[in-house]
C-alpha cells in the first residue's frame, strides 16, 4: 500500500505506482487526479464561519470510504451476511465487504495504515470493539457519535455526488472504495498536522468500518 497525495510524499507515491500493473497504474492515475475534486467539494460544503473544520471533513471522507465498500458489494451482487441485533437493527458483514475494507491491495484501512504507520492490529482492535457493541445502547463511533445520525448525513452526501463524481470518475464499482480510500488518506494526511496520529487514525477507521456495515435497515 502506498501514499497517494497531492504535492507530498512523492517518492513513496512513485514507488507505489511503479509496483502496480499497467491496469492498476491507469486506475491510480485516474482516481488520484479526481480525488482532489471530492476533497475540495467536502471542504467547501462543510466549511463554517470559522473556515474548514478538518475533523468534520475527516468524518465525511472516512464515512464515504466505508459506504463505498458497502455499495460496491451491492452493485456487483456479492452476498453479505445480514446480522439482526436485539434492537431490530440490521448490519451487513462478510468477506465481500472485508475485501474492500481490509484485504485488497488498495483497501480502505490499508490507506489509513499507510499514511499513519499504524499497525494492522490497531484496525483489528477497532473491529473487535464494534462487534462487541453493535446494536447496543453503548454503540457509538468516533468517540461519542450516534452511527445512525452519522450514516444519514454521510449517505445523503454519497447519494448527492454519486452521479456527477463517483460514477463519472470510476469505471466500475470495484473502484469506488479505492477512490474514497485515496480521498480519506489525503484528508487524514492534512489532519495529522492538527491532532495526534492515533486519534486521527482511530476516528477515520472507526467511521469507515461502522458505515461499511450499514444500510437503510440499520436505521
Amino acid at each position: 500500500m502506498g501514499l497517494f497525495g497531492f504535492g507530498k510524499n512523492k517518492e513513496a507515491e512513485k514507488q507505489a505506482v511503479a509496483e502496480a500493473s499497467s491496469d492498476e497504474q491507469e486506475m491510480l492515475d485516474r482516481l488520484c487526479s479526481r480525488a482532489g475534486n471530492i476533497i475540495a467539494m467536502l471542504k467547501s460544503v462543510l466549511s463554517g464561519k470559522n473556515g474548514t473544520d478538518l475533523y468534520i471533513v475527516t468524518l465525511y471522507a472516512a464515512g464515504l470510504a466505508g459506504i463505498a465498500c458497502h455499495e460496491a458489494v451491492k452493485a456487483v451482487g456479492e452476498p453479505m451476511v445480514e446480522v439482526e441485533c436485539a434492537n431490530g437493527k440490521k448490519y451487513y458483514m462478510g468477506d465481500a465487504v472485508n475485501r474492500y475494507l481490509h484485504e485488497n491491495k488498495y483497501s480502505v484501512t490499508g490507506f489509513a495504515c499507510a499514511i499513519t504507520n499504524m499497525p494492522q492490529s490497531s484496525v483489528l482492535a477497532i473491529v473487535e470493539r464494534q462487534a462487541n457493541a453493535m446494536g447496543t445502547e453503548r454503540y457509538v463511533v468516533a468517540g461519542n457519535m450516534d452511527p445512525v445520525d452519522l450514516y444519514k448525513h454521510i449517505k445523503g452526501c454519497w447519494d448527492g455526488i454519486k452521479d456527477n463524481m463517483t460514477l463519472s470518475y470510476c469505471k466500475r464499482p470495484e473502484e469506488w472504495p479505492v477512490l474514497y480510500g485515496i480521498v480519506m488518506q489525503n484528508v487524514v494526511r492534512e489532519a495529522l498536522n492538527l491532532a495526534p496520529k492515533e486519534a486521527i487514525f482511530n476516528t477515520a477507521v472507526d467511521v469507515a468500518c461502522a458505515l461499511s456495515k450499514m444500510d437503510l435497515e440499520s436505521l
Side-chain angles (χ1 to χ4, degrees), residues 136-177:
T136 69
E137 292 183 357
R138 59 189 174 88
Y139 182 40
V140 296
V141 296
N144 60 0
M145 301 194 71
D146 179 4
V148 170
D149 288 343
L150 199 60
Y151 178 82
K152 287 179 179 178
H153 283 96
I154 299 178
K155 181 58 161 56
C157 178
W158 170 272
D159 292 339
I161 65 174
K162 183 176 180 180
D163 288 339
N164 66 333
M165 286 187 160
T166 307
L167 297 183
S168 176
Y169 299 162
C170 298
K171 292 183 176 180
R172 56 191 185 277
E174 291 90 342
E175 293 183 355
W176 298 350

Side-chain angles (χ1 to χ4, degrees), residues 4 9 16 22 46 49 53-55 73 78-79 93 103 114 134 141 146 152 154 157 164 178 185 188 204 213:
F4 299 95
N9 296 302
S22 58
L46 299 173
K49 62 181 180 180
D53 185 335
L54 272 179
Y55 177 74
V73 173
E78 290 189 90
M93 308 177 191
E103 298 168 6
M134 193 172 290
V141 296
D146 179 4
K152 287 179 179 178
I154 299 178
C157 178
N164 66 333
V178 181
Q185 187 184 69
V188 167
K213 297 172 175 61

